[in-house]
Amino acid sequence: MTTAPQSPAPVGREELLTRLERALHTRGRALLTGPAGVGKTEVALAEAARAEARGETVLWLATLPSDREIPGAAAAALVASVAATVTWPGLGTSRPEPPARAVPAAEAHAAGADPTTEPYGAAAPGALTSGILTAGVLDSGIFSSGVFDQLPGPQRTAVAMLCREAPIDAGGWDPIALRLGIARILRALTCRGPVLLVVDGVQHIDADSADLLRFALHLAPPSLRVVAVETPEPYAEAHEPYREGHRAEDPHAAHLWVPSEADVLRVPPLHADEIAELLIHHRLPSRMAGRIHRASGGNPRLALAVGRSLADARTPVHHAEALTLSGRARDLARQLLGAAPPAVRETLLLAALALRPSATLVRRAGRPTAEADLAAAERADLVSLSEDGSVTFTAGLLPSTLVHDACWAERSAGHAALAEVVDDPVEAVRHRALATERPDEELAAEVAAAADLARRRGNSALAAELALLAAESTPGRHGTRRISRLVDAAEEAARAARADLAMRAATDLLARDAVPSDRVRARLAVLDTAGQGLTGLDEMYVHAMEDSEGDTALRAAVQLRLAVKYVLADGDPERSRTAAVESAALAASMGDPRLAAQALTVQARMERALGSPDAEAVLAQARGLELAERPLGIRNAAQILTIRHALFDDRLTDARDELNALLPLVQRRGSVEDTIELFSTLAAIESRRGACAAALSHAGQSLALTLEAGLSPGPAWYTLALAETAGGSFARAASYARRSVQASEEEGDRVFLSRSRYALGRVQLITGDVATALETLRRVQADERAQSTVDPSMLRWHEELAEALLAQDAGDEALALLAEVRPVAERLGRSTVLLGCDRAYALCLAAEGRTDEAAELLTRTAESFGRAGLPLERGRALIALARVERRRRRRSAAQTALHEAASVFERAGAAPWLALASETPAGEGAGPGAGVEESVPALSSLTEAELRLARLVGQGASNQEAAAKLYLSVKTVEARLTRIYQKLDVRSRAQLATALRP
């Protein structure tokens, strides 16, 4: 048996694959089950690829729905698959056909397979479906394959009849001989080595084949392992109410063995974050991953269909617009719903129309079989039922498709029936309004009152929906009142973070003869729900500025939104500061302290970025106004900016205490975006102060809320990248940072694009991918300079870039960068930025051979980081110290520094850093050549970049190969190799290899 690298698991399925392999190892059998499109075949493909890589024989049997009506179809296909896969002893020549096998998704995609079939992979090319045999089998015949050579005559005849290689007698084949023949073929196959049989679509196996395979598997040795893939048929046991003459069947009739709890593995839907990863994997936009997850319910096939709908849209779909759910996505939803009998679909339509659907409510609304219908739908994975009978659709696309495809009469009747039986007056008014298409002022007034009641109850989402419904129910002759209600609806939607409702209300209003002030208010509501996605909304800003002419209060509000846009979308903090200053002045002239405080907060943020000494004074002024006039939210509040300034200054205890003081406010009146901001900031604080478990928890909550709210995940992924770098996994940190880069690029968010690139470059540097890190960090440098960012504490890329430059032999450039940033940090009093510069400068000293000075500086830096309450930075300085001590050939001092770093990381729960500290101090692992500089004193004169090249060349790499490996030009390799030769006093590659030996 050969060994091979383990193929990667499909997105989100690593744990499931581990459980599958455990079940196969302990029991030899596993049944993958779940709804259509959830990814069962993809998991089976991955397991088959791993088995094939281990040298096992893989048989793949894919059934078709029509096979159920053809006796023996699946068993015949299995025999043909064995013949196509194996060359049997005694044959004169090997068969020319490639073996039938399962292939990884990547190969299936490369072959042009449709990745949406089940759900994002494809059935194995070369795998035999039970209805069709390959041309090779038909040409040569199963007899010539040698399959029958070891079978006794009666068994051989029965198998030949089954495969239509011999005429079928009037009495048919001998069932006992056929059973024994199939069993003997599989047993003989296992004599060659372990065998994995994958049966994809076991629910379609005909009864005769199921009986044959059950018998054969019962007699098979343990070396034959079986994976069965099943899509349950939910209505098979619920036909009684819908079809006459139904006869109950054995529930295990199609199973190849009687499954137990241990070998039945349900394939679950993907989480929202996994859907985002899946979209990125398929090169689809990920910025709406949360909304796509809600629409698909985590079903990968549905999610990819929705993602492709968005990608194929003529114009990019904005967060404030409804998802494009036509075409493939709608068709898939119809396929899932179409399997349900008409009576079940009628019941599901009522549930889709209700706000809080339950079996009792649907029954009272005129569906006496509601419980049975909903139970059948639950077996079909269309809905889930709770203990109290409440109904939840598994995917948002299902109820929207039910409503979309229903005619007006069906929807109206459903709403009218629900209005009579709901127990909440707010819901009753909603259903009454939706049951009629005639505008009615009296009804519109009732709906508006219901919206006010929902708002007072704290149900902002329902209040927003009702406010819009009230506007749409207002007769056209009351035009002024309708416009007023549309403005209220847009602003209600903004408070509820319902971008879709805000856009609907604004679009309706802007199509009417509204006064400029109403048009401005509606547009501001849309802008306030846009999140990070401000790119593409320029027309909104232009018209808002035009319509606010002459209205000081509205002009101040528009300038405030422009200030945010200028920094997020345009990356222009100076212009943002100018707009914020104008907004604050206008608000003050109108006596609006709340708006003035918000504008001053944005101004203070820009002052800080631009390195202005006035930043704290402006922020203090905003805080003063805020204390007198409590803000409606905290995202742009002076209090939260004060906390972030404390974070930038590494006053972490102050920042955490201030943030904890905000918790009661957020719990009482904060919006979803407020809560996301809170958890994101908490995660950043805890990451910095080395509370790694808390950082991961807060970052995870921020991401979950972001995806649930349908907001852009870029900022949340950036926060999670920081938390994973601190205490999770460097690999996961890099993955989240890359996702944040992609989402930020899609959104045109310049601020978080720079931040996420910084997070990515930092991880790349820490993990030794120096060339890539240098490229990433140079882009951060370009981004920050393009945005005129001066304050180095807001994004600490300078020290990381300096270290990357040094590792790539650009020591002079590294020193120049440090000399540039140090005076700025000193002027602004950024003490911990200076400590980071000291760490990088010490590495420059070591590269110049001034190792004594480097060690002394690193020792002081580590102590200073410890006093500043930055344990992870202290540990990183200690790792650098250990490497320098190694260069000084002071093994004991190096080990002491390394052990101290490990102790620091262990106390902080910084798992990836602890693993890093466990490696050799030079950071080169324990591979060939690791540690040779300690036993060969002359090597201590080489920089780390020179040492990496020397090892590659000493191991036989050519200049071109070394250049490719290190991401350098051949000229750079030649120049660096010349310096190595001079330092080691060698003249050839052979002498270099000798010099590297301890």
Side-chain angles (χ1 to χ4, degrees), residues 215-291:
F215 180 80
L217 296 180
H218 178 69
L219 298 182
S223 56
L224 174 64
R225 302 177 302 147
V226 184
V227 174
V229 179
E230 173 195 58
T231 301
E233 297 183 276
Y235 304 105
E237 298 174 37
H239 284 256
E240 289 268 353
Y242 316 118
R243 191 174 66 186
E244 294 182 1
H246 171 69
R247 177 175 58 85
E249 300 178 357
D250 179 3
H252 300 302
H255 289 159
L256 305 182
W257 68 93
V258 178
S260 67
E261 289 295 327
D263 50 34
V264 176
L265 302 178
R266 182 170 178 81
V267 181
L270 297 177
H271 298 302
D273 192 39
E274 293 165 339
I275 289 293
E277 185 178 353
L278 178 67
L279 293 170
I280 292 174
H281 180 74
H282 286 270
R283 301 178 184 276
L284 294 172
S286 63
R287 61 192 177 92
M288 291 191 179
R291 296 180 68 186

Coordinates of all heavy atoms in Angstrom, one line a residue, residues 215-291:
F215 N -27.0 -9.6 0.7 CA -26.4 -10.9 1.0 C -24.9 -10.9 0.8 O -24.2 -11.5 1.6 CB -27.1 -11.9 0.0 CG -26.6 -13.4 0.2 CD1 -27.0 -14.2 1.2 CD2 -25.6 -13.8 -0.7 CE1 -26.6 -15.5 1.3 CE2 -25.1 -15.1 -0.6 CZ -25.6 -15.9 0.5
A216 N -24.5 -10.3 -0.3 CA -23.0 -10.3 -0.6 C -22.3 -9.5 0.5 O -21.2 -10.0 0.9 CB -22.8 -9.6 -2.0
L217 N -22.8 -8.4 1.0 CA -22.1 -7.7 2.0 C -22.1 -8.4 3.3 O -21.2 -8.2 4.1 CB -22.7 -6.3 2.1 CG -22.6 -5.4 0.9 CD1 -23.3 -4.0 1.2 CD2 -21.1 -5.1 0.5
H218 N -23.2 -9.2 3.5 CA -23.2 -10.0 4.8 C -22.1 -11.0 4.8 O -21.5 -11.3 5.9 CB -24.6 -10.7 4.9 CG -24.7 -11.5 6.1 ND1 -24.8 -11.0 7.4 CD2 -24.8 -12.9 6.2 CE1 -24.9 -12.0 8.2 NE2 -24.9 -13.2 7.6
L219 N -21.7 -11.5 3.7 CA -20.6 -12.5 3.6 C -19.3 -11.9 3.4 O -18.2 -12.6 3.4 CB -20.9 -13.5 2.5 CG -22.2 -14.4 2.7 CD1 -22.3 -15.4 1.6 CD2 -22.2 -15.1 4.0
A220 N -19.2 -10.6 3.1 CA -17.9 -10.0 2.7 C -17.0 -9.9 3.9 O -17.4 -9.7 5.0 CB -18.2 -8.6 2.1
P221 N -15.7 -10.0 3.6 CA -14.7 -9.8 4.7 C -14.6 -8.4 5.2 O -15.1 -7.5 4.5 CB -13.4 -10.3 4.1 CG -13.6 -10.0 2.6 CD -15.0 -10.3 2.3
P222 N -14.0 -8.1 6.3 CA -13.8 -6.7 6.8 C -13.1 -5.8 5.9 O -13.2 -4.6 6.0 CB -13.1 -6.9 8.2 CG -13.3 -8.4 8.6 CD -13.4 -9.1 7.3
S223 N -12.3 -6.4 5.0 CA -11.5 -5.5 4.1 C -12.3 -4.8 3.1 O -11.9 -3.9 2.3 CB -10.4 -6.3 3.5 OG -10.9 -7.4 2.8
L224 N -13.6 -5.2 3.0 CA -14.5 -4.5 2.1 C -15.4 -3.5 2.9 O -16.2 -3.9 3.7 CB -15.5 -5.5 1.4 CG -16.6 -4.9 0.5 CD1 -16.0 -4.1 -0.6 CD2 -17.6 -5.9 0.0
R225 N -15.1 -2.3 2.7 CA -15.9 -1.2 3.4 C -16.8 -0.5 2.4 O -16.5 -0.4 1.3 CB -14.9 -0.2 4.0 CG -13.9 -0.8 5.0 CD -12.9 0.2 5.5 NE -12.2 0.8 4.4 CZ -11.8 2.1 4.4 NH1 -12.0 2.9 5.4 NH2 -11.1 2.6 3.4
V226 N -17.9 -0.1 3.0 CA -19.0 0.4 2.2 C -19.5 1.8 2.7 O -19.7 2.0 3.9 CB -20.2 -0.5 2.1 CG1 -21.3 0.0 1.2 CG2 -19.8 -1.9 1.8
V227 N -19.6 2.7 1.7 CA -20.2 4.0 2.0 C -21.5 4.1 1.1 O -21.4 4.0 -0.1 CB -19.3 5.2 1.7 CG1 -20.0 6.5 1.8 CG2 -18.1 5.2 2.6
A228 N -22.6 4.2 1.8 CA -23.9 4.4 1.0 C -24.3 5.8 1.1 O -24.2 6.4 2.2 CB -24.9 3.5 1.6
V229 N -24.8 6.4 0.1 CA -25.2 7.8 0.0 C -26.7 7.8 -0.2 O -27.2 7.2 -1.3 CB -24.5 8.6 -1.1 CG1 -25.0 10.0 -1.1 CG2 -23.0 8.6 -0.8
E230 N -27.5 8.4 0.6 CA -28.9 8.3 0.6 C -29.6 9.7 0.7 O -29.2 10.5 1.5 CB -29.5 7.4 1.7 CG -31.0 7.4 1.8 CD -31.4 6.9 3.1 OE1 -31.1 7.4 4.2 OE2 -32.2 5.9 3.1
T231 N -30.5 10.0 -0.2 CA -31.4 11.1 -0.1 C -32.7 10.6 0.3 O -33.4 10.0 -0.5 CB -31.5 11.9 -1.4 OG1 -30.2 12.4 -1.8 CG2 -32.4 13.1 -1.2
P232 N -33.1 10.8 1.6 CA -34.4 10.2 2.1 C -35.6 10.7 1.2 O -35.6 11.8 0.7 CB -34.5 10.7 3.5 CG -33.1 11.1 3.9 CD -32.5 11.5 2.6
E233 N -36.5 9.8 1.0 CA -37.8 10.1 0.3 C -38.8 10.4 1.4 O -39.5 9.4 1.9 CB -38.1 9.0 -0.6 CG -37.1 8.8 -1.7 CD -37.5 7.7 -2.7 OE1 -37.2 6.5 -2.4 OE2 -38.0 8.0 -3.8
P234 N -39.1 11.6 1.7 CA -39.9 12.0 2.9 C -41.3 11.6 2.7 O -42.0 11.3 3.7 CB -39.7 13.5 3.0 CG -39.4 13.9 1.6 CD -38.6 12.8 1.0
Y235 N -41.8 11.5 1.5 CA -43.3 11.3 1.4 C -43.6 9.8 1.1 O -44.7 9.5 1.0 CB -43.8 12.2 0.2 CG -43.5 13.6 0.4 CD1 -42.5 14.3 -0.3 CD2 -44.2 14.3 1.4 CE1 -42.2 15.6 -0.1 CE2 -43.9 15.7 1.7 CZ -42.9 16.3 0.9 OH -42.6 17.6 1.2
A236 N -42.5 9.0 1.2 CA -42.8 7.6 0.9 C -43.7 7.0 2.0 O -44.4 6.1 1.8 CB -41.4 6.8 0.9
E237 N -43.5 7.5 3.2 CA -44.3 6.9 4.3 C -45.5 7.8 4.6 O -46.3 7.5 5.6 CB -43.5 6.8 5.6 CG -42.3 5.9 5.4 CD -41.4 6.0 6.6 OE1 -41.9 6.1 7.8 OE2 -40.2 5.9 6.5
A238 N -45.8 8.8 3.8 CA -46.9 9.7 4.1 C -47.9 9.8 2.9 O -48.5 10.8 2.7 CB -46.4 11.1 4.4
H239 N -47.9 8.7 2.1 CA -48.8 8.7 1.0 C -50.3 8.5 1.3 O -51.1 8.8 0.5 CB -48.3 7.7 -0.1 CG -47.1 8.1 -0.8 ND1 -47.1 8.5 -2.1 CD2 -45.8 8.1 -0.4 CE1 -45.9 8.8 -2.5 NE2 -45.1 8.5 -1.5
E240 N -50.5 7.9 2.4 CA -51.9 7.6 2.7 C -52.9 8.7 2.5 O -53.9 8.4 1.8 CB -52.0 7.1 4.2 CG -51.3 5.8 4.5 CD -52.3 4.6 4.4 OE1 -53.5 4.8 4.2 OE2 -51.8 3.5 4.4
P241 N -52.7 9.9 3.0 CA -53.7 10.9 2.7 C -53.8 11.4 1.3 O -54.7 12.0 0.9 CB -53.2 12.1 3.6 CG -52.3 11.5 4.6 CD -51.6 10.4 3.8
Y242 N -52.7 11.1 0.5 CA -52.6 11.7 -0.8 C -52.8 10.7 -2.0 O -53.0 11.1 -3.1 CB -51.3 12.3 -1.0 CG -50.9 13.1 0.2 CD1 -49.7 12.8 0.9 CD2 -51.6 14.2 0.7 CE1 -49.4 13.5 2.1 CE2 -51.3 14.9 1.8 CZ -50.2 14.5 2.5 OH -49.8 15.2 3.6
R243 N -52.7 9.4 -1.7 CA -52.8 8.4 -2.8 C -53.5 7.2 -2.3 O -53.1 6.6 -1.3 CB -51.3 8.1 -3.3 CG -51.3 7.3 -4.6 CD -49.9 7.1 -5.1 NE -49.1 6.3 -4.2 CZ -47.8 6.1 -4.4 NH1 -47.2 6.7 -5.4 NH2 -47.2 5.3 -3.6
E244 N -54.4 6.8 -3.1 CA -55.2 5.6 -2.7 C -54.4 4.3 -3.0 O -53.5 4.3 -3.9 CB -56.5 5.5 -3.5 CG -57.5 6.6 -3.2 CD -58.8 6.5 -3.9 OE1 -58.9 5.5 -4.7 OE2 -59.6 7.4 -3.8
G245 N -54.7 3.3 -2.3 CA -54.0 2.0 -2.6 C -52.6 2.0 -2.1 O -51.8 1.1 -2.5
H246 N -52.2 2.9 -1.2 CA -50.8 2.9 -0.7 C -50.6 1.7 0.2 O -51.4 1.4 1.0 CB -50.5 4.2 0.0 CG -49.2 4.1 0.7 ND1 -48.0 4.1 0.1 CD2 -48.9 4.1 2.1 CE1 -47.0 4.1 1.0 NE2 -47.6 4.0 2.2
R247 N -49.5 1.0 0.0 CA -49.2 -0.1 0.8 C -47.9 0.2 1.5 O -46.9 0.6 1.0 CB -49.0 -1.4 -0.1 CG -48.6 -2.6 0.7 CD -48.5 -3.8 -0.3 NE -47.6 -3.6 -1.4 CZ -46.3 -3.8 -1.3 NH1 -45.7 -4.2 -0.2 NH2 -45.5 -3.6 -2.4
A248 N -47.9 0.1 2.9 CA -46.7 0.4 3.7 C -45.6 -0.6 3.3 O -45.8 -1.8 3.1 CB -47.1 0.2 5.2
E249 N -44.4 -0.1 3.2 CA -43.3 -0.9 2.8 C -42.3 -0.9 3.9 O -42.3 -0.1 4.9 CB -42.6 -0.2 1.6 CG -43.5 -0.2 0.3 CD -42.8 0.5 -0.8 OE1 -41.6 0.9 -0.6 OE2 -43.4 0.6 -1.9
D250 N -41.4 -1.9 3.8 CA -40.3 -2.1 4.8 C -39.4 -0.9 4.8 O -38.8 -0.6 3.7 CB -39.6 -3.4 4.6 CG -38.4 -3.6 5.5 OD1 -38.3 -2.8 6.5 OD2 -37.7 -4.6 5.4
P251 N -39.2 -0.1 5.9 CA -38.4 1.1 5.8 C -37.0 0.8 5.5 O -36.2 1.7 5.0 CB -38.5 1.7 7.2 CG -39.0 0.6 8.1 CD -39.8 -0.3 7.2
H252 N -36.5 -0.5 5.6 CA -35.1 -0.8 5.4 C -35.0 -1.6 4.0 O -33.9 -2.1 3.8 CB -34.6 -1.7 6.5 CG -34.6 -1.1 7.8 ND1 -33.9 0.1 8.1 CD2 -35.2 -1.4 9.0 CE1 -34.1 0.5 9.4 NE2 -34.9 -0.4 9.9
A253 N -36.1 -1.6 3.2 CA -36.0 -2.4 2.0 C -34.9 -2.0 1.1 O -34.3 -2.8 0.4 CB -37.4 -2.3 1.3
A254 N -34.6 -0.7 1.0 CA -33.6 -0.2 0.1 C -32.2 -0.2 0.7 O -31.2 0.0 0.0 CB -33.9 1.1 -0.5
H255 N -32.1 -0.4 2.0 CA -30.8 -0.4 2.6 C -30.0 -1.6 2.4 O -30.6 -2.7 2.3 CB -31.0 -0.2 4.1 CG -31.5 1.2 4.5 ND1 -32.1 1.5 5.7 CD2 -31.4 2.4 3.8 CE1 -32.4 2.8 5.7 NE2 -32.0 3.3 4.6
L256 N -28.7 -1.5 2.3 CA -27.8 -2.6 2.1 C -27.5 -3.3 3.3 O -26.9 -4.4 3.3 CB -26.6 -2.2 1.3 CG -26.8 -1.4 0.0 CD1 -25.5 -1.0 -0.6 CD2 -27.7 -2.2 -0.9
W257 N -27.8 -2.7 4.4 CA -27.7 -3.4 5.8 C -28.6 -2.6 6.7 O -29.0 -1.5 6.3 CB -26.2 -3.3 6.3 CG -25.7 -1.9 6.6 CD1 -25.8 -1.3 7.8 CD2 -25.1 -1.0 5.7 NE1 -25.2 0.0 7.7 CE2 -24.8 0.2 6.5 CE3 -24.8 -1.0 4.3 CZ2 -24.2 1.3 5.9 CZ3 -24.2 0.1 3.8 CH2 -23.9 1.2 4.5
V258 N -28.9 -3.1 7.8 CA -29.8 -2.4 8.8 C -28.9 -1.4 9.5 O -28.1 -1.8 10.3 CB -30.5 -3.4 9.7 CG1 -31.3 -2.6 10.7 CG2 -31.3 -4.4 9.0
P259 N -29.0 -0.2 9.2 CA -28.1 0.8 9.8 C -28.4 1.0 11.3 O -29.6 1.0 11.7 CB -28.4 2.1 9.0 CG -29.8 1.9 8.5 CD -30.0 0.5 8.3
S260 N -27.3 1.3 12.0 CA -27.5 1.7 13.4 C -27.1 3.2 13.6 O -26.6 3.8 12.7 CB -26.5 0.8 14.3 OG -25.2 1.1 14.0
E261 N -27.3 3.6 14.8 CA -26.9 5.0 15.0 C -25.5 5.3 14.8 O -25.1 6.4 14.4 CB -27.3 5.4 16.5 CG -28.7 5.5 16.8 CD -29.4 6.6 16.0 OE1 -28.8 7.7 15.8 OE2 -30.6 6.4 15.6
A262 N -24.6 4.3 15.0 CA -23.2 4.6 14.9 C -22.7 4.8 13.5 O -21.7 5.4 13.2 CB -22.4 3.4 15.5
D263 N -23.4 4.2 12.5 CA -22.9 4.3 11.1 C -23.8 5.1 10.2 O -23.6 5.2 9.0 CB -22.7 2.9 10.5 CG -23.9 2.0 10.6 OD1 -25.1 2.5 10.6 OD2 -23.7 0.8 10.8
V264 N -24.8 5.8 10.8 CA -25.6 6.8 10.0 C -25.1 8.2 10.3 O -25.1 8.7 11.4 CB -27.1 6.7 10.4 CG1 -27.9 7.8 9.7 CG2 -27.7 5.3 10.1
L265 N -24.6 8.8 9.3 CA -24.0 10.1 9.4 C -24.8 11.1 8.6 O -24.9 11.1 7.4 CB -22.5 10.2 8.9 CG -21.6 9.2 9.5 CD1 -20.2 9.3 8.9 CD2 -21.5 9.4 11.0
R266 N -25.5 12.0 9.3 CA -26.3 13.0 8.7 C -25.4 14.2 8.2 O -24.6 14.7 9.0 CB -27.4 13.5 9.6 CG -28.3 14.6 8.9 CD -29.5 14.9 9.8 NE -30.3 15.9 9.1 CZ -31.2 15.7 8.1 NH1 -31.4 14.4 7.7 NH2 -31.9 16.6 7.6
V267 N -25.5 14.6 7.0 CA -24.7 15.7 6.4 C -25.5 17.0 6.7 O -26.5 17.2 6.1 CB -24.4 15.5 4.9 CG1 -23.6 16.7 4.4 CG2 -23.8 14.2 4.7
P268 N -24.9 17.8 7.6 CA -25.7 19.0 8.0 C -25.5 20.1 7.0 O -24.6 20.1 6.2 CB -25.1 19.3 9.4 CG -23.7 18.9 9.2 CD -23.7 17.7 8.3
P269 N -26.4 21.2 7.1 CA -26.1 22.4 6.3 C -24.9 23.1 6.8 O -24.4 22.9 7.9 CB -27.4 23.2 6.5 CG -28.0 22.7 7.8 CD -27.6 21.2 7.9
L270 N -24.3 23.9 5.9 CA -23.1 24.7 6.3 C -23.5 25.9 7.1 O -24.6 26.4 7.0 CB -22.4 25.1 5.0 CG -21.8 24.0 4.1 CD1 -21.2 24.6 2.9 CD2 -20.8 23.1 4.9
H271 N -22.6 26.3 8.0 CA -22.8 27.5 8.7 C -22.5 28.7 7.8 O -22.0 28.6 6.7 CB -21.8 27.6 9.9 CG -22.0 26.5 10.9 ND1 -23.2 26.3 11.6 CD2 -21.2 25.5 11.4 CE1 -23.1 25.2 12.4 NE2 -21.9 24.8 12.3
A272 N -22.9 29.9 8.3 CA -22.8 31.1 7.5 C -21.4 31.3 7.1 O -21.1 31.7 5.9 CB -23.4 32.3 8.2
D273 N -20.4 31.1 8.0 CA -19.0 31.4 7.7 C -18.5 30.4 6.7 O -17.7 30.7 5.8 CB -18.2 31.3 9.0 CG -16.8 31.9 8.8 OD1 -16.7 32.9 8.0 OD2 -15.9 31.3 9.3
E274 N -19.0 29.2 6.7 CA -18.6 28.1 5.8 C -19.2 28.4 4.4 O -18.6 28.2 3.4 CB -19.1 26.8 6.3 CG -18.3 26.3 7.5 CD -19.0 25.2 8.2 OE1 -20.2 24.9 8.0 OE2 -18.3 24.5 9.0
I275 N -20.4 29.0 4.3 CA -21.0 29.4 3.1 C -20.1 30.5 2.4 O -19.8 30.5 1.2 CB -22.4 29.9 3.2 CG1 -23.4 28.8 3.6 CG2 -22.9 30.7 2.0 CD1 -23.6 27.8 2.4
A276 N -19.6 31.4 3.3 CA -18.7 32.4 2.8 C -17.4 31.8 2.2 O -17.0 32.2 1.1 CB -18.3 33.4 3.9
E277 N -16.9 30.9 2.9 CA -15.7 30.2 2.3 C -16.0 29.4 1.0 O -15.2 29.4 0.1 CB -15.2 29.2 3.4 CG -13.9 28.5 3.0 CD -13.3 27.6 4.1 OE1 -13.9 27.6 5.2 OE2 -12.3 26.9 3.8
L278 N -17.2 28.8 1.0 CA -17.6 28.1 -0.2 C -17.7 29.1 -1.4 O -17.2 28.8 -2.5 CB -18.9 27.4 0.0 CG -19.5 26.7 -1.2 CD1 -18.7 25.5 -1.5 CD2 -21.0 26.2 -0.9
L279 N -18.3 30.2 -1.2 CA -18.4 31.2 -2.3 C -17.0 31.7 -2.8 O -16.8 31.8 -4.0 CB -19.2 32.4 -1.8 CG -20.7 32.2 -1.4 CD1 -21.3 33.4 -0.7 CD2 -21.5 31.8 -2.7
I280 N -16.1 31.9 -1.8 CA -14.8 32.3 -2.2 C -14.1 31.2 -3.0 O -13.4 31.4 -4.0 CB -14.0 32.7 -1.0 CG1 -14.5 34.0 -0.3 CG2 -12.5 32.9 -1.3 CD1 -13.9 34.3 1.0
H281 N -14.3 30.0 -2.5 CA -13.7 28.8 -3.2 C -14.1 28.7 -4.7 O -13.4 28.3 -5.5 CB -14.0 27.5 -2.5 CG -13.5 26.3 -3.0 ND1 -12.1 25.9 -2.9 CD2 -14.0 25.3 -3.8 CE1 -11.9 24.8 -3.6 NE2 -13.1 24.4 -4.1
H282 N -15.4 29.1 -4.9 CA -15.9 29.1 -6.3 C -15.8 30.4 -7.0 O -16.5 30.7 -8.0 CB -17.3 28.6 -6.3 CG -17.4 27.1 -6.0 ND1 -17.4 26.2 -7.0 CD2 -17.5 26.4 -4.8 CE1 -17.5 25.0 -6.4 NE2 -17.6 25.1 -5.1
R283 N -15.0 31.3 -6.4 CA -14.8 32.6 -7.1 C -16.1 33.4 -7.2 O -16.3 34.1 -8.3 CB -14.0 32.5 -8.4 CG -12.7 31.8 -8.3 CD -12.0 31.6 -9.7 NE -10.8 30.8 -9.6 CZ -9.6 31.3 -9.3 NH1 -9.5 32.6 -9.0 NH2 -8.6 30.6 -9.2
L284 N -16.9 33.4 -6.2 CA -18.1 34.1 -6.3 C -18.1 35.2 -5.2 O -17.4 35.1 -4.2 CB -19.3 33.2 -6.0 CG -19.6 32.1 -7.1 CD1 -20.7 31.2 -6.6 CD2 -20.0 32.8 -8.4
P285 N -18.8 36.3 -5.4 CA -18.8 37.4 -4.4 C -19.2 36.9 -3.0 O -20.2 36.2 -2.8 CB -19.8 38.4 -4.9 CG -19.9 38.1 -6.4 CD -19.7 36.6 -6.5
S286 N -18.4 37.2 -2.0 CA -18.7 36.8 -0.6 C -19.3 37.9 0.3 O -19.6 37.6 1.4 CB -17.4 36.3 0.0 OG -16.4 37.3 0.1
R287 N -19.4 39.1 -0.2 CA -19.8 40.2 0.6 C -21.2 40.0 1.1 O -21.6 40.6 2.1 CB -19.6 41.5 -0.1 CG -20.5 41.7 -1.3 CD -20.1 42.8 -2.2 NE -20.8 42.9 -3.4 CZ -22.0 43.6 -3.6 NH1 -22.4 44.2 -2.5 NH2 -22.6 43.6 -4.7
M288 N -22.0 39.2 0.4 CA -23.4 39.0 0.9 C -23.6 37.6 1.4 O -24.6 37.0 1.3 CB -24.4 39.3 -0.2 CG -24.5 40.7 -0.6 SD -25.8 41.1 -1.7 CE -25.6 42.8 -1.9
A289 N -22.5 37.0 2.0 CA -22.6 35.6 2.5 C -23.7 35.4 3.5 O -24.3 34.4 3.5 CB -21.2 35.3 3.1
G290 N -23.9 36.4 4.4 CA -24.9 36.3 5.4 C -26.3 36.2 4.8 O -27.1 35.3 5.1
R291 N -26.6 37.0 3.8 CA -27.9 37.0 3.2 C -28.0 35.7 2.3 O -29.1 35.1 2.2 CB -28.1 38.2 2.3 CG -28.2 39.5 3.1 CD -28.4 40.7 2.2 NE -29.7 40.7 1.6 CZ -30.1 41.6 0.7 NH1 -29.2 42.6 0.3 NH2 -31.3 41.6 0.2

